[in-house]
Amino acid sequence: FLVKKFGRVLALADTAAAGEDAGEALVSMGNTAELRSEETIKLRSGIVTKNIRYSGSKMTDVYHDRSFSRRPTVILCHVSAANKENLADKAESFLAMGYVAIAMDFSSTDDLKSLIRWVKQNAAGFGGDGRSLCIWGYSWGGDMAFKASLMFAGTPEEVQAAIIVAGAKTSHLKLLKSTAPPTLFVHSQDDKTV
């Protein structure tokens, strides 16, 4: 099933939900077409649909279960020298607790903004709820998640909660607004670098 918007093929819909293998998806970007592979892998507590394009060349992996409906959704932000693959264990942990988990490749708050928009528009297709969205980040990813949660408060890209593990610059507090989401900070007592 191809999803079309403005006359262009954007992505392959979740044909695995219809009992078919998602296989190769042809994505048209303007005049050029490229082949990309979305892959669905069975896990102990659900499935992961990998390599979903959410913006330009940026990809995300969605950890979900087809039995889910309107489940809280968590976006996971990786450390600076990593990528979405490094979040697999954490994403599976959230999945086992009943959350839809989104592991993303990103490099800026603009990427986070694009992904949040994508999640809000597409979460229901994975059993998630784009209106019950948390952003989680570790180290540099925590810093970016905290900054995004403050920057996007009161906008269409706002999240409902943030969990920041070992990473948040106090300089971001200047972005604090009354509409900022509830935020949990987790730091080690012996962590002298944060």
Side-chain angles (χ1 to χ4, degrees), residues 3 10 29 35 88 90 98 118 127 129 134 138 156 191:
V3 178
L10 295 179
M29 304 294 282
L35 204 58
K90 181 59 65 185
W118 183 89
D129 185 351
C134 175
Y138 176 76
D191 188 347

Side-chain angles (χ1 to χ4, degrees), residues 61-83:
D61 296 344
V62 179
Y63 294 74
H64 58 109
D65 188 305
R66 289 204 171 83
S67 67
F68 284 176
S69 177
R70 297 182 52 105
R71 302 302 297 215
T73 303
V74 180
I75 294 174
L76 305 172
C77 301
H78 58 73
V79 299
S80 63
N83 60 35

Side-chain angles (χ1 to χ4, degrees), residues 109 112-113 116 135 143-153 157-159 172 175:
T109 52
L112 280 170
K113 189 175 195 174
I116 291 168
I135 191 166
D143 184 56
M144 295 298 284
F146 181 52
K147 184 177 180 182
S149 73
L150 296 175
M151 285 177 63
F152 305 151
E157 291 80 22
E158 73 181 346
V159 296
H172 296 326
L175 301 170

Side-chain angles (χ1 to χ4, degrees), residues 75-191:
I75 294 174
L76 305 172
C77 301
H78 58 73
V79 299
S80 63
N83 60 35
K84 63 184 174 63
E85 303 305 322
N86 298 92
L87 295 169
D89 289 341
K90 181 59 65 185
E92 285 190 58
S93 295
F94 276 109
L95 177 61
M97 293 185 285
Y99 295 88
V100 172
I102 314 284
M104 63 179 295
D105 280 336
F106 76 105
S107 58
S108 70
T109 52
D110 286 339
D111 292 340
L112 280 170
K113 189 175 195 174
S114 294
L115 182 72
I116 291 168
R117 280 186 192 146
W118 183 89
V119 170
K120 287 180 179 247
Q121 292 171 359
N122 295 284
F126 296 101
D129 185 351
R131 295 170 300 167
S132 181
L133 188 58
C134 175
I135 191 166
W136 177 99
Y138 176 76
S139 188
W140 178 79
D143 184 56
M144 295 298 284
F146 181 52
K147 184 177 180 182
S149 73
L150 296 175
M151 285 177 63
F152 305 151
T155 73
E157 291 80 22
E158 73 181 346
V159 296
Q160 285 62 57
I163 302 170
I164 312 305
V165 181
K169 294 179 184 166
T170 55
S171 63
H172 296 326
L173 291 176
K174 67 183 176 210
L175 301 170
L176 196 57
K177 313 175 197 178
S178 62
T179 54
T183 303
L184 172 66
F185 293 93
V186 180
H187 289 281
S188 167
Q189 181 176 339
D190 296 328
D191 188 347

